[in-house]
């Protein structure tokens, strides 16, 4: 019999829509090292593959004003993960870092430093945030997709420029966005090169991931839809001469647990109510309607005025919301709650473990990126059940992130 497919697990903090947990005055702020250290140690106790830190190069704004409905003041991910490398022994450490600004050599050196200091546990989540241009330089490159693809190619070239036996070799790259040559300042790490992570399901992201990614983060969905997305991502690999086992596909998910199915559903509903505060409901409505709704009562009906300057898709969404509110007699806030995303997996620990296993067994995912909220309960109640099923490790078998992900350790080709 072939071995059972193993479930891979990771955790994200803080999420861009994280409106609970971090904002609780009883918890440490996301600028506190203690909060990240505690999260990392729980994830490592749960034998997770990696912790992914999100990036925030620009403070969140709405209608030209800074708002605090998302985490603000996030530390620079690689710097924080370098500190966490000393507080953990095996957990992978993934930093989100931007390609819209900066230079490949600087970023490659920063991530390679983390890889060495952690003993081969580093990963780079590729992202581009062009709306932060004013924080960096005027007239920043507008060809973000092309720049990102070349940026990743150059970073991999730099990491691979040293031989496996520790010999530096000159590198040279001349492209549309970068023209550099020299010698990279750090040798290869214990895992060969840092793990590269991409996020998204667009055609551009799909092709870039097929060419360069070790992990692809996708959105959650029903089993059959997830299977189709997984198969499409796997098919792309062949065009780049890559085997299916060279890419791990992990949807980002949230979980709501309860001792019974009914309790889990109530907790899921409570999470949504807690997340959609009256202020957050107004924020969502303003973004959808395109007008200032500061005087609108979130506990009253939806705005009677028509959306301003909205496209056809947005107008159709507003129409669906109006129909939903009328059908169920919902207030504005209740409509936002009803229309907002539900947790991906809701149920008892046993049923959630079974669903997670089914997604991996049926070829819909290789694993999952969990939201930070509720991590400790998941580690205590769901991870042991996955272990009983024989689909999750009972101890780390290797020391590097590539070994956790069951990925090969590449050797330099120059």
């Amino acid at each position: 019999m072939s071995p059972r497919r193993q479930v891979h697990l990771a955790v994200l903090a803080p999420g861009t829509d994280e409106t609970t947990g971090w904002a609780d005055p009883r918890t440490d702020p996301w600028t506190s090292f203690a909060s990240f250290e505690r999260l990392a140690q729980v994830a490592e106790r749960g034998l997770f593959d990696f912790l992914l830190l999100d990036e925030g190069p620009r403070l969140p704004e709405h209608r030209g004003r800074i708002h605090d409905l998302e985490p603000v003041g996030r530390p620079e991910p690689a710097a924080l993960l370098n500190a966490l490398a000393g507080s953990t022994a095996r957990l992978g450490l993934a930093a989100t870092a931007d390609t819209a600004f900066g230079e490949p050599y600087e970023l490659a050196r920063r991530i390679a430093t983390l890889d060495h200091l952690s003993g081969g546990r580093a990963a780079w989540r590729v992202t581009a945030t062009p709306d932060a241009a004013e924080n960096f330089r005027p007239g920043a490159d507008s060809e973000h997709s092309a720049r990102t693809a070349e940026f990743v190619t150059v970073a991999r070239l730099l990491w691979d420029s040293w031989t496996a036996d520790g010999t530096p070799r000159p590198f040279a790259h001349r492209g549309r966005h970068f023209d550099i040559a020299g010698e990279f300042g750090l040798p290869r790490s214990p895992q060969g090169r840092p793990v590269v992570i991409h996020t998204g399901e667009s055609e551009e992201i799909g092709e870039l991931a097929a060419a360069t990614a070790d992990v692809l983060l996708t959105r959650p969905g029903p089993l059959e839809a997830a299977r189709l997305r997984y198969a499409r991502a796997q098919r792309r690999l062949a065009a780049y001469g890559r085997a299916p086992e060279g890419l791990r596909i992990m949807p980002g998910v949230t979980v709501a647990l309860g001792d019974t199915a009914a309790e889990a559903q109530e907790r899921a509903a409570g999470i949504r109510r807690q997340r959609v505060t009256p202020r957050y409901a107004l924020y969502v409505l303003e973004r959808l309607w395109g007008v200032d709704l500061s005087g609108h009562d979130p506990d009253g009906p939806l705005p009677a005025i028509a959306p301003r300057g909205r496209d056809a898709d947005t107008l159709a969404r507003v129409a669906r919301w109006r129909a939903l509110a009328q059908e169920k007699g919902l207030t504005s806030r209740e409509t936002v709650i009803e229309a907002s995303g539900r947790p991906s997996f809701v149920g008892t620990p046993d049923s959630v473990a079974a669903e997670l296993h089914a997604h991996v067994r049926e070829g819909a995912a290789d694993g999952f990126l969990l939201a930070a909220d509720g991590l400790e309960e998941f580690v205590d109640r769901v991870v042991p059940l996955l272990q009983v099923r024989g689909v999750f490790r009972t101890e780390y078998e290797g020391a590097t992130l590539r070994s956790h992900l069951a990925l090969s350790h590449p050797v330099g080709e120059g």
Side-chain angles (χ1 to χ4, degrees):
M1 294 179 62
S2 60
R4 293 183 179 181
R5 294 187 64 200
Q6 296 295 293
V7 175
H8 294 278
L9 295 174
V11 61
L12 169 68
T16 55
D17 275 330
E18 198 84 49
T19 55
T20 60
W22 73 272
D24 190 326
R26 296 169 298 179
T27 64
D28 291 324
W30 283 112
T31 50
S32 164
F33 177 74
S35 62
F36 288 99
E37 183 178 45
R38 196 157 47 243
L39 179 66
Q41 290 174 346
V42 170
E44 186 164 77
R45 177 167 63 83
L47 305 175
F48 276 41
D49 289 359
F50 61 88
L51 162 68
L52 170 60
L53 294 190
D54 207 356
E55 174 63 294
R58 176 174 178 163
L59 291 177
E61 297 178 21
H62 174 57
R63 301 184 64 79
R65 301 187 301 272
I66 301 296
H67 71 84
D68 59 357
L69 294 174
E70 296 177 7
V72 296
R74 303 178 193 173
E76 196 283 314
L80 178 55
L81 291 173
N82 278 316
L84 289 176
S87 301
T88 56
R90 297 293 183 90
L91 181 70
L93 305 169
T96 300
D98 209 285
T99 62
F101 317 100
E103 299 297 324
Y105 189 99
E106 184 277 331
L107 187 146
R109 185 167 180 260
R110 186 157 30 110
I111 301 299
T113 297
L114 172 62
D115 212 17
H116 278 281
L117 293 180
S118 65
R121 296 186 280 136
W124 169 33
R125 180 202 187 190
V126 180
T127 190
T129 51
D131 61 348
E134 294 178 2
N135 288 354
F136 293 86
R137 64 180 185 274
D141 197 330
S142 61
E143 296 181 347
H144 306 295
S145 296
R147 191 179 200 272
T148 294
E150 189 174 340
F151 200 117
V152 175
T153 296
V154 176
R156 284 163 52 98
L157 171 69
L158 297 173
W159 290 329
D160 288 347
S161 63
W162 284 63
T163 64
D165 63 4
T167 303
R169 292 177 293 187
F171 66 82
H173 172 86
R174 174 166 293 179
R176 181 172 182 176
H177 301 272
F178 307 105
D179 184 358
I180 61 174
E183 291 184 355
F184 190 54
L186 288 170
R188 298 183 72 79
S189 82
Q191 64 174 343
R193 80 168 80 96
V195 168
V196 173
I197 303 172
H198 289 296
T199 306
E201 297 176 18
S202 69
E203 288 297 314
E204 289 179 333
I205 291 294
E207 291 300 321
L208 182 58
T212 63
D214 302 297
V215 176
L216 176 60
L217 304 177
T218 63
R219 66 178 184 269
L223 180 59
E224 189 55 38
R227 287 181 65 184
L228 293 174
R229 288 199 297 267
Y230 184 93
R232 185 165 59 248
Q234 291 278 300
R235 284 195 299 270
R236 285 194 174 103
L237 294 173
Y240 296 90
R242 300 182 61 192
E245 59 269 19
L247 179 66
R248 296 286 169 258
I249 299 171
M250 303 175 68
V253 301
T254 54
V255 174
L257 299 174
D259 291 332
T260 65
E263 181 182 323
Q265 290 292 341
E266 179 55 36
R267 289 190 67 179
I271 290 170
R272 291 158 62 206
R273 288 194 298 269
Q274 182 183 7
R275 177 183 176 188
V276 182
T277 63
R279 185 160 163 244
Y280 184 74
L282 284 180
Y283 163 70
V284 172
L285 293 175
E286 284 190 339
R287 288 177 66 90
L288 192 59
W289 257 255
V291 297
D292 184 354
L293 295 172
S294 55
H296 181 74
D297 180 7
D299 292 319
L302 287 174
I305 61 175
R308 183 177 302 167
R310 305 287 87 177
D311 58 30
D313 288 343
T314 302
L315 292 175
R317 186 180 178 193
V318 170
R320 289 195 300 272
W321 282 29
R322 289 195 190 281
L324 175 67
Q326 183 175 5
E327 177 189 353
K328 297 190 175 183
L330 304 176
T331 66
S332 291
R333 181 186 174 208
E334 289 169 342
T335 302
V336 175
I337 292 171
E338 184 69 17
S340 64
R342 294 164 171 75
S344 314
F345 295 96
V346 179
T348 65
D350 190 63
S351 69
V352 168
E355 283 191 81
L356 295 173
H357 178 202
H359 273 67
V360 173
R361 183 186 64 235
E362 300 299 324
D366 293 303
F368 306 91
L369 177 70
L370 275 69
D373 285 351
L375 178 66
E376 192 156 11
E377 184 179 20
F378 183 92
V379 166
D380 290 338
R381 305 190 69 187
V382 178
V383 166
L385 297 174
L386 293 172
Q387 292 169 331
V388 169
R389 288 173 172 268
V391 296
F392 192 70
R393 64 175 65 93
T394 56
E395 61 182 355
Y396 288 113
E397 296 180 2
T400 69
L401 177 53
R402 288 185 178 275
S403 66
H404 304 343
L405 291 165
L407 297 170
S408 62
H409 288 203
V411 296
E413 298 177 357

